């Protein structure tokens, strides 16, 4: 039997979540893809969350954002979010590097405050995402 495509695998992973979380995740991923043409999406099906990282390459260390699906919510992580200007006080977390925003709606991604955060994160990325190249979806790990 042939291995399913990465898109099919991701769709199956998302289908394991509640309808509300799955619908929100699909909408968030669609918006992220539109905002980040050329991004490489790295998918990690972990035991506690499904994570889709967005970055310029298949190197996880270069990822700029990640979307994590949990049983009851969806979160966007700014993987180098500490120190980002955040006048809207959206970012949560106290670690040395990562910050996050729990998404109660995909519309949060379209707010001026969130767009400004994303723009700042992209501007600070060590390796930028090349919008002229075709984006790719890569399944990195699948938990049993």
């Amino acid at each position: 039997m042939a291995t399913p495509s990465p898109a099919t695998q991701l769709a199956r992973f998302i289908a394991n979540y509640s309808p509300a979380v799955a619908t929100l995740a699909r909408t968030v991923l669609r918006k992220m893809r539109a905002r980040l043409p050329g991004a490489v999406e790295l998918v990690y099906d972990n035991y506690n969350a499904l994570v889709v990282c967005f970055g310029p390459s298949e190197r996880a260390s270069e990822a700029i954002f990640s979307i994590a699906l949990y049983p009851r919510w969806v979160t966007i992580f700014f993987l180098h979010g500490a120190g980002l200007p955040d006048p809207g006080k959206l970012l949560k977390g106290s670690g040395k590097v990562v910050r996050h925003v729990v998404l109660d709606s995909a519309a949060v991604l379209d707010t001026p405050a969130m767009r400004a955060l994303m723009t700042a994160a992209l501007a600070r990325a060590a390796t930028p995402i090349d919008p002229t190249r075709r984006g790719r979806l890569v399944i990195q790990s699948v938990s049993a």
Side-chain angles (χ1 to χ4, degrees):
M1 185 159 109
T3 302
S5 72
T8 298
Q9 290 180 70
L10 179 57
R12 288 178 183 168
F13 298 152
I14 292 171
N16 289 324
Y17 288 83
S18 71
V21 168
T23 298
L24 176 57
R26 286 184 199 99
T27 304
V28 166
L29 290 172
R30 188 175 66 250
K31 287 179 176 284
M32 291 294 288
R33 289 172 180 141
R35 177 79 195 257
L36 304 168
V40 176
E41 298 174 45
L42 305 176
V43 177
Y44 298 87
D45 176 34
N46 297 319
Y47 66 96
N48 63 341
L50 174 63
V51 178
V52 181
C53 297
F54 290 82
S57 73
E58 289 187 29
R59 297 175 66 177
S61 62
E62 292 182 344
I64 303 165
F65 307 102
S66 67
I67 302 300
L69 285 69
Y70 296 98
R72 294 179 305 183
W73 65 85
V74 176
T75 299
I76 181 170
F77 287 91
F78 290 76
L79 299 176
H80 302 282
L84 283 177
D86 183 19
K89 306 287 188 233
L90 296 177
L91 295 174
K92 305 297 181 213
S94 58
K96 293 181 181 181
V97 181
V98 177
R99 295 290 183 274
H100 71 276
V101 177
V102 175
L103 300 171
D104 56 0
S105 156
V108 171
L109 294 175
D110 299 323
T111 64
M114 181 62 82
R115 291 186 71 77
L117 280 172
M118 292 181 74
T119 298
L122 289 165
R124 290 183 178 195
T127 305
I129 295 171
D130 181 354
T132 65
R133 89 174 183 202
R134 186 175 178 190
R136 290 181 289 129
L137 179 62
V138 179
I139 306 298
Q140 290 291 88
S141 70
V142 178
S143 66

